[in-house]
């Protein structure tokens, strides 16, 4: 099982962060020519991805795709390969074989973890990883994409823009009243929302969330579902989760859910469809 990092993995590229354009959602990464090609509607594509550990196949010819702007829930029993899949996408684990593309042209198997983060993929582990000795505001400020080489004449204007983005993110994650509070003093659910806010400050194209509702109260879980549903369409999201009520709150009647088992896709469809699938009932949900 993969261990969570001790500190957030913050990508600080040398290029300036993309600006919001008219008609582009505030928290969606602006796709420019030569960057992420989503012209065919797909932002993430895995084909026949296989990963073996000491003879055990954690991923077994896994094929999966995520549409641009989609919120996809991934469910399945422990050992199904869900975390290994995220490890492959983020460059933490190298696949034995298969293809992994961000958009049409970015081959993630040829990139390391920092390069993949800079390309627009943000990952949240199950355990919140925030800077506990810093206030909430500073956590968001540290996470923001910055370029220390920008000339001083631009810094004042950019600082005002940065402040506005932080304030908007605080409102989005419902932590305005906690802005000056140390992150270590927050509740578990608040820390989870703060870390998501930190990822949003980096304007990701794709967010990978590994059991984000784990350890939350019912109220915190519904607040998180509200946040992720609010982000729907502004950036693509893959959510690995075991809490079926949380999955239902995210997928609704029409959202797609993928069921994994033994390193491959077992079923795919709406939540109602996969819950009625005989193979899913036998291997995961039970009768």
């Amino acid at each position: 099982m993969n261990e969570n990092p001790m500190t957030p993995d913050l990508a600080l590229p040398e290029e300036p962060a993309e600006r919001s354009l008219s008609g582009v959602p505030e928290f969606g990464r602006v796709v420019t020519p030569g960057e992420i090609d989503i012209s065919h509607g797909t932002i993430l594509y895995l084909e026949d991805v296989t990963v073996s550990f000491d003879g055990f196949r954690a991923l077994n010819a896994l094929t999966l795709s995520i549409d641009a702007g989609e919120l996809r829930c991934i469910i399945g029993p422990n050992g199904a390969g869900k975390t290994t899949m995220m490890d492959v996408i983020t460059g933490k684990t190298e696949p034995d074989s298969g293809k992994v593309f961000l958009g049409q042209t970015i081959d993630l198997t040829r990139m390391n973890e920092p390069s993949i983060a800079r390309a627009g993929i943000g990952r949240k582990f199950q355990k919140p990883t925030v800077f506990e000795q810093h206030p909430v505001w500073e956590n968001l400020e540290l996470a923001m994409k910055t370029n220390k080489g920008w000339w001083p004449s631009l810094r004042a204007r950019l600082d005002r823009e940065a402040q506005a983005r932080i304030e908007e993110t605080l409102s989005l994650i419902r932590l305005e009243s906690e802005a000056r509070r140390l992150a270590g003093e927050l509740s578990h659910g608040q820390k989870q929302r703060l870390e998501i806010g930190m990822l949003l400050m980096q304007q990701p194209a794709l967010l990978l969330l590994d059991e984000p509702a784990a350890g939350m109260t019912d109220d915190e879980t519904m607040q998180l579902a509200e946040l992720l549903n609010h982000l729907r369409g502004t950036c693509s999201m893959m959510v690995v989760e075991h809490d079926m009520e949380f999955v239902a709150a995210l997928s609704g009647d029409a959202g797609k859910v993928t069921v994994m088992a033994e390193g491959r896709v077992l079923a795919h469809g709406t939540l109602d469809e996969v819950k009625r699938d005989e193979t899913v009932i036998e291997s995961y949900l039970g009768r």
Side-chain angles (χ1 to χ4, degrees):
M1 181 176 295
N2 295 295
E3 296 181 355
N4 295 334
M6 296 301 294
T7 57
D9 183 12
L10 302 179
L12 300 176
E14 295 182 357
E15 299 81 12
E18 292 81 356
R19 307 285 182 84
S20 292
L21 302 177
S22 176
V24 177
E26 178 67 22
F27 292 99
R29 182 180 174 87
V30 178
V31 179
T32 56
E35 192 187 14
I36 303 176
D37 180 1
I38 55 172
S39 57
H40 291 179
T42 300
I43 193 164
L44 180 69
Y45 177 69
L46 293 82
E47 180 182 347
D48 292 333
V49 176
T50 296
V51 174
S52 298
F53 299 115
D54 297 325
F56 170 73
R57 283 200 170 187
L59 294 180
N60 188 8
L62 174 67
T63 296
L64 176 72
S65 64
I66 305 292
D67 290 339
E70 180 183 2
L71 192 166
R72 173 74 61 82
C73 291
I74 310 289
I75 63 175
N78 291 330
K82 304 182 297 296
T83 297
T84 302
M85 173 184 64
M86 287 191 170
D87 288 346
V88 169
I89 295 168
T90 56
K92 186 177 180 67
T93 295
E94 183 178 352
D96 301 329
S97 60
K99 301 176 182 178
V100 186
F101 275 83
L102 181 65
Q104 299 296 310
T105 60
I106 301 177
D107 185 350
L108 298 179
T109 65
R110 297 177 179 271
M111 301 166 67
N112 59 24
E113 290 183 72
S115 297
I116 290 173
R118 286 193 293 269
I121 296 180
R123 181 178 184 179
K124 190 202 173 310
F125 291 82
Q126 180 176 339
K127 181 180 178 181
T129 50
V130 299
F131 297 109
E132 296 198 347
Q133 300 305 314
H134 290 265
V136 169
W137 177 282
E138 289 184 8
N139 271 260
L140 296 176
E141 186 176 8
L142 287 167
M144 182 182 293
K145 288 183 175 180
T146 57
N147 187 327
K148 303 302 183 183
W150 284 342
W151 52 92
S153 62
L154 286 180
R155 289 193 61 86
R157 180 173 64 84
L158 291 171
D159 284 346
R160 288 194 295 271
E161 291 176 358
Q163 181 172 338
R165 281 188 56 208
I166 292 173
E167 290 174 349
E168 187 164 357
T169 302
L170 282 170
S171 176
L172 179 68
I173 61 178
R174 300 174 66 173
L175 290 178
E176 308 102 302
S177 62
E178 311 294 341
R180 302 303 174 186
R181 188 178 179 186
L182 292 180
E185 298 176 355
L186 299 177
S187 70
H188 175 72
Q190 289 173 325
K191 288 179 182 177
Q192 296 283 51
R193 297 203 306 275
L194 173 58
E195 187 178 7
I196 291 173
M198 293 168 69
L199 290 170
L200 292 175
M201 295 303 295
Q202 298 184 46
Q203 297 178 289
L206 174 65
L207 273 179
L208 308 179
L209 306 173
D210 195 352
E211 297 188 42
M216 286 189 175
T217 66
D218 290 344
D219 286 344
E220 289 174 335
T221 298
M222 289 304 103
Q223 288 176 2
L224 179 60
E226 181 182 339
L227 168 60
L228 297 184
N229 278 320
H230 183 81
L231 293 173
R232 185 189 299 272
T234 66
C235 65
S236 307
M237 288 175 279
M238 176 188 286
V239 181
V240 167
E241 189 53 66
H242 287 290
D243 186 328
M244 296 306 292
E245 290 187 9
F246 182 59
V247 171
L250 293 180
S251 61
D253 295 330
K256 299 300 182 183
V257 175
T258 296
V259 185
M260 288 183 61
E262 299 180 348
R264 63 175 64 189
V265 172
L266 181 65
H268 175 73
T270 66
L271 183 58
D272 284 343
E273 288 170 345
V274 299
K275 287 170 69 174
R276 293 195 302 267
D277 188 290
E278 286 296 322
T279 57
V280 175
I281 293 172
E282 292 176 4
S283 66
Y284 180 49
L285 297 177
R287 294 187 180 276

